[in-house]
Amino acid sequence: GAVVSQHPSWVICKSGTSVKIECRSLDFQATTMFWYRQFPKQSLMLMATSNEGSKATYEQGVEKDKFLINHASLTLSTLTVTSAHPEDSSFYICSVVKPGSLDNSPLHFGNGTRLTVT
Amino acid sequence: TQLLEQSPQFLSIQEGENLTVYCNSSSVFSSLQWYRQEPGEGPVLLVTVVTGGEVKKLKRLTFQFGDARKDSSLHITAAQPGDTGLYLCAGGRNKIIFGKGTRLHILP
């Protein structure tokens, strides 16, 4: 069965609005979750590492004020795309790793959220 | 910064043929993973290789980790249309990075 639940699976929003994406770990408590972005025909790019109870760690070039991450519990992390623009349109995927895993791998992925900003 | 280079980026072959996909880096990895991704879905783990020189088999798929743990390969024997997808190698310490992927298309 699914280890990670991501919601919504797709969303269309108008430019300037904000969109929240939820990522739930179903099988285990996840102190760490990862958010990736994937543009069409491209690979996954790590956006940020979400840490339960503390601030997320963002990758270089990812605006923390634009992509707000909240990891409020051991089973839920949210990514909010604020003031969305068409260039933010992408496939956003979260992943979790089982506690105690070596080097935070392997990853268990949600089914992704297709965001389209019009 | 650790980087993973995958080749080829695209591959289209006939059903029944064999193929090999490569994942290379100048960095040493404690482990590498291979994932497969279908359109509109998240990647699914195929295998993790940990030991230098390790070979793992998953039905018609054979994965190898280089002796120096800097590279890995995925070999598919007698490819089938169901093998079509995006194959990604990944690795890292505490945060996982991905190669650019190999988009495989098997023609019936």
Side-chain angles (χ1 to χ4, degrees):
Chain A
V3 176
V4 182
S5 173
Q6 194 171 333
H7 179 80
S9 55
W10 59 271
V11 57
I12 301 172
C13 71
K14 290 187 176 180
S15 187
T17 61
S18 295
V19 173
K20 180 184 283 188
I21 303 169
E22 292 188 348
C23 179
R24 293 182 184 274
S25 177
L26 302 178
D27 281 8
F28 47 81
Q29 294 180 331
T31 54
T32 303
M33 295 186 183
F34 299 93
W35 286 96
Y36 289 85
R37 179 167 56 183
Q38 185 176 32
F39 291 107
K41 307 294 185 185
Q42 295 187 25
S43 186
L44 281 72
M45 295 298 296
L46 180 64
M47 297 177 67
T49 303
S50 172
N51 305 297
E52 189 271 335
S54 64
K55 292 181 179 180
T57 304
Y58 290 82
E59 294 302 300
Q60 191 173 8
V62 178
E63 299 175 58
K64 60 182 174 66
D65 294 329
K66 180 169 183 63
F67 298 100
L68 301 179
I69 292 173
N70 187 339
H71 195 151
S73 77
L74 287 170
T75 59
L76 174 64
S77 175
T78 61
L79 168 67
T80 301
V81 183
T82 62
S83 186
H85 290 285
E87 56 265 33
D88 298 325
S89 298
S90 188
F91 192 53
Y92 293 86
I93 318 175
C94 73
S95 65
V96 303
V97 61
K98 285 188 177 180
S101 299
L102 178 67
D103 289 339
N104 277 337
S105 65
L107 298 173
H108 301 272
F109 286 91
N111 270 336
T113 297
R114 171 76 57 196
L115 170 63
T116 302
V117 184
T118 61
Chain B
T1 304
Q2 292 181 316
L3 291 173
L4 289 167
E5 299 287 342
Q6 267 188 259
S7 62
Q9 289 188 36
F10 304 95
L11 188 57
S12 182
I13 63 171
Q14 291 292 137
E15 180 178 1
E17 294 184 2
N18 302 332
L19 67 106
T20 302
V21 175
Y22 299 93
C23 176
N24 296 293
S25 177
S26 57
S27 304
V28 176
F29 286 84
S30 57
S31 68
L32 283 178
Q33 300 99 53
W34 285 92
Y35 294 83
R36 180 178 159 208
Q37 186 181 22
E38 303 272 4
E41 299 181 8
V44 175
L45 178 71
L46 295 174
V47 78
T48 299
V49 286
V50 179
T51 307
E54 180 178 11
V55 176
K56 283 190 173 180
K57 290 193 174 185
L58 188 64
K59 296 184 181 179
R60 293 175 294 99
L61 277 61
T62 302
F63 304 86
Q64 186 161 7
F65 201 12
D67 291 341
R69 290 185 288 132
K70 292 183 178 181
D71 55 87
S72 181
S73 63
L74 157 61
H75 182 78
I76 300 180
T77 304
Q80 299 178 1
D83 296 328
T84 293
L86 178 65
Y87 289 82
L88 298 156
C89 69
R93 192 168 186 84
N94 298 322
K95 63 180 183 181
I96 306 302
I97 61 168
F98 283 79
K100 289 189 175 181
T102 294
R103 197 163 295 277
L104 177 62
H105 185 57
I106 308 300
L107 304 168

